[in-house]
Amino acid sequence: MTDAFEKDPLVLFMPSGKRGRFAIGTPVLEAARQLGVYVESVCGGRATCGRCQVEVQEGNFAKHGITSSNDHISPIGPKEERYDRVRGLPEGRRLSCSATVQGDLVIDVPQDTVVNAQVVRKAASDRVIERNAAVQLCYVEVEQPDMHKPLGDLDRLKAVLEKDWGWKDLLIAPHLIPQIQSILRKGEWGVTAAIHRDMDSSRPFIVGLWPGLKNEAYGIACDIGSTTIAMHLVSLLSGRIVGSSGASNPQIRFGEDLMSRVSYVMMNPDGREAMTKAVREAVNGLIGKVCEEGGVDRHDILDSVFVANPIMHHLFVGIDPTELGQAPFALAVSGALQYWASDIDIDINRGARLYMLPCIAGHVGADAAGATLSEGPYRQDKMMLLVDVGTNAEIVLGNRERVVAASSPTGPAFEGAEISCGQRAAPGAIERVRIDTVTLEPKYRVIGVDKWSDEDGFEEAAAAVGVTGICGSAIIEVVAEMYLSGVISEDGVVDGAMAEKSHRIIANGRTFSYLLRDGEPKITVTQNDIRAIQLAKAALYAGIKLLMEKQGVDKVDTIRFAGAFGSFIDPKYAMVLGLIPDCELTEVKAVGNAAGTGALMALLNRDHRREIEATVKKIEKIETALEPHFQQLFIDAMAMPNKVDPFPELAKVVTLPEKKAVNQDGGEDGGRRRRRSRG
Ligand code: FES
């Protein structure tokens, strides 16, 4: 391309849109290389691996000034014919190492070999993600030994890797050295080397060596959460996810939440070791599971990327997390980490590497960094709020100009803990609730039952599952619906006066409860339950508001809910409750395990590692506990949706009730008018 002439054919690669002029006869793979378009190749252009497939798009592409046709690429030659005969080439596909440029071309690098569909979906709004894995497979034919040339087998291997693939200054994983001679001879001097290079500035490493052509390598992307560990097994060559699975974090037996696990470490001399061992064993178990699902040998896994909250991160790599349990919440290390996977006892290929994304702050971990990479607030102009709600909410707010982050101790209420009838999402848990504003009668849905509770056949179906409690999504909905129907005031007090109107309002000592389901067990929402939800939502909202103040904005443009919790809650009810600030409802989206998607991106493309490392350095960390203003924001956020903040977007879709204050004894408290009114 460098010495291209204007009359040379123009070649445009899709979906990247990169283009350039190339002399007639240039292999299409070579053109892609020169433009920095990622097209896989293992066999080094011998037309045996089939990894370099592309398609010609025919037609007149006026916008680009290109008329592309199959006549503008060389006809199928003997190498492609042979590949087609032996392995089969799908209709329309060409091997870009063999096909050459003969005229103007639009070349499609098929999506299934560029990037996994899930990653595309997540990031489709802003860019196409191209693969550039840290591990590359390179097939070479090594010169045979010659008595007149004293170079060793390894040295000749390195020489040909430099000649054919351009790898200079290669290092080799020590465990491979004793195996080199047998592998070379077994492969009759044709071998595939796995080369790992993370940073351009770092020396490349031979991390794997196989006789003959090795045509597949895998990686794992793993998110270690306090309750769940989630993992993807992905082909490093095609980007295809071949297995995904999750498992409970066995550390739960040492403590339900993060702080109790830190306490366990502090109080038990072997606590840290025990928890490290438990989580590593669980990760190894999960690797077995995803490998079984994908039909993959775990020793074909050559790279791994992990994200986790700071305490899980420290325990996984074997660091005592005690410092994270108290101010100033010092991380032992905040930057990205690189290991041999075997150093962390991860049972995959012995030469496999392990990369951990950087942590943002003492309570905002590598998982939040992963979610940030996935959703990319820093890549856009909109003010994006990214929230991952767990027992500790991680909050990131920003845009291209500036990103700020904080965490807020929401506690386990959203997960059903601390709620009298709360439970984790499982069959038998109430997951949706509606309350009639006139009769105050509820209807609800239960996990495992298709019908709403007011539909025929519900009771029979429910009896089969057994209605056992309320899960997180329904807790949000029931409290929001109680507010919308006037059962509770904006301050969250159950209005005892309503007891005259409905048998659903029942006295419970000095306070009142709402009877959601009469039966066995009785499911009620008590005043204490509402308080627990108010405390949790106020902690989250106050954290968000603090970040909004730091950014100098009173409105966010778009909201992304990461994590399992976010996938199940209805944004409208989250807003009625005042869990999140006012925003156009269509701009509130659940993005699932965004942290895991970020890990996947860092696995498939090492440039994303540099991107998030640089981004995390620029993110401003806010420690909510140190902000004197936080307390006032918290108090204001106890009200529904908020004591002082307006919710104009929400008001467009929901009729918010008139304000009425109710005192704790259930009587209306008209005399004590609030000093400040909402918007
Ligand atoms: Fe292997 Fe083309 S590079 S078939």
Side-chain angles (χ1 to χ4, degrees), residues 17 28 37 39 63 254 268 278 280 297-298 316 350 361 380 390 412 435 464 514 546:
V28 175
V37 173
V39 178
K63 194 173 123 203
F254 302 99
N268 293 278
R280 290 179 182 178
D297 180 339
R298 67 196 301 147
F316 178 59
R350 200 165 154 203
Q380 53 167 14
I435 296 175
Y514 179 76
L546 198 61

Side-chain angles (χ1 to χ4, degrees), residues 564-577:
F565 176 76
S567 304
F568 298 110
I569 58 171
D570 183 329
K572 184 176 79 181
Y573 288 105
M575 219 177 273
V576 169
L577 206 62

Side-chain angles (χ1 to χ4, degrees), residues 210-542:
W210 297 265
L213 178 71
K214 171 89 178 160
N215 207 1
E216 195 52 281
Y218 297 91
I220 47 170
C222 185
D223 173 20
I224 305 176
S226 327
T227 27
T228 315
I229 306 174
M231 186 181 286
H232 293 303
L233 173 66
V234 57
S235 159
L236 294 176
L237 295 162
S238 71
R240 198 166 53 90
I241 292 183
V242 296
S244 293
S245 199
S248 298
N249 187 333
Q251 292 177 344
I252 286 176
R253 69 172 182 265
F254 302 99
E256 269 279 330
D257 58 44
L258 289 168
M259 282 308 142
S260 54
R261 288 183 216 172
V262 175
S263 310
Y264 186 86
V265 170
M266 291 164 79
M267 286 153 66
N268 293 278
D270 304 331
R272 203 279 301 150
E273 282 85 349
M275 274 197 269
T276 297
K277 189 162 173 269
V279 69
R280 290 179 182 178
E281 277 174 6
V283 166
N284 280 323
L286 207 44
I287 291 170
K289 221 161 136 184
V290 288
C291 283
E292 200 181 312
E293 188 187 329
V296 168
D297 180 339
R298 67 196 301 147
H299 299 108
D300 284 345
I301 300 174
L302 295 173
D303 202 5
S304 58
V305 173
F306 286 80
V307 293
N309 64 55
I311 291 168
M312 293 300 103
H313 168 284
H314 277 35
L315 285 170
F316 178 59
V317 300
I319 302 171
D320 185 325
T322 304
E323 292 298 330
L324 293 169
Q326 66 218 2
F329 311 107
L331 288 155
V333 50
S334 52
L337 291 174
Q338 301 254 14
Y339 290 93
W340 294 103
S342 57
D343 290 342
I344 308 292
D345 303 330
I346 298 306
D347 181 17
I348 46 181
N349 188 291
R350 200 165 154 203
R353 301 288 301 177
L354 188 153
Y355 175 84
M356 282 200 90
L357 267 71
C359 288
I360 297 176
H363 277 140
V364 192
D367 51 352
T372 304
L373 175 61
S374 165
E375 299 313 310
Y378 58 90
R379 294 193 290 262
Q380 53 167 14
D381 297 322
K382 282 183 175 179
M383 184 57 71
M384 179 192 280
L385 171 65
L386 174 59
V387 208
D388 193 340
V389 179
T391 48
N392 207 33
E394 295 176 322
I395 315 164
V396 178
L397 176 71
N399 58 14
R400 211 182 285 288
E401 300 284 309
R402 184 183 180 207
V403 180
V404 293
S407 75
S408 211
T410 40
F414 292 142
E415 292 172 0
E418 293 179 354
I419 303 293
S420 59
C421 293
Q423 68 160 89
R424 285 195 197 284
I430 293 177
E431 59 168 346
R432 295 265 169 265
V433 180
R434 300 287 178 272
I435 296 175
D436 188 295
T437 50
V438 178
T439 64
L440 305 186
E441 281 302 299
K443 65 173 183 176
Y444 48 85
R445 280 187 68 149
V446 172
I447 298 177
V449 180
D450 283 344
K451 298 174 189 300
W452 281 86
S453 61
D454 61 346
E455 288 176 312
D456 284 346
F458 170 82
E459 283 303 333
E460 294 72 32
V465 186
V467 183
T468 44
I470 317 174
C471 73
S473 58
I475 291 164
I476 304 285
E477 290 191 8
V478 73
V479 178
E481 282 278 312
M482 285 167 78
Y483 169 61
L484 290 176
S485 58
V487 174
I488 56 175
S489 67
E490 69 157 342
D491 293 320
V493 179
V494 182
D495 185 355
M498 292 268 194
E500 286 170 22
K501 195 172 147 191
S502 165
H503 73 284
R504 296 272 166 192
I505 314 296
I506 49 177
N508 184 6
R510 290 194 68 220
T511 60
F512 290 84
S513 301
Y514 179 76
L515 179 64
L516 182 57
R517 178 176 165 85
D518 203 357
E520 206 28 67
K522 256 189 182 39
I523 295 175
T524 56
V525 182
T526 68
Q527 186 63 64
N528 278 345
D529 296 340
I530 295 164
R531 280 285 173 259
I533 288 296
Q534 279 179 290
L535 290 168
K537 73 107 178 172
L540 177 60
Y541 189 91

Side-chain angles (χ1 to χ4, degrees), residues 29 40-52 95-98:
L29 180 62
E40 189 60 72
S41 154
V42 173
C43 69
R46 289 175 175 81
T48 54
C49 72
R51 288 288 178 188
C52 64
L95 296 180
S96 63
C97 60
S98 301

Side-chain angles (χ1 to χ4, degrees), residues 25-87:
T26 307
V28 175
L29 180 62
E30 179 55 30
R33 285 264 156 80
Q34 290 191 25
L35 289 172
V37 173
Y38 193 85
V39 178
E40 189 60 72
S41 154
V42 173
C43 69
R46 289 175 175 81
T48 54
C49 72
R51 288 288 178 188
C52 64
Q53 294 177 29
V54 295
E55 275 177 28
V56 172
Q57 282 190 26
E58 292 208 286
N60 182 12
F61 297 81
K63 194 173 123 203
H64 302 288
I66 298 178
T67 300
S68 171
S69 147
N70 271 311
D71 296 337
H72 295 174
I73 195 164
S74 59
I76 291 185
K79 281 180 164 181
E80 283 175 288
E81 254 171 26
R82 189 195 57 204
Y83 181 85
D84 189 27
R85 222 175 28 250
V86 179
R87 307 221 8 221

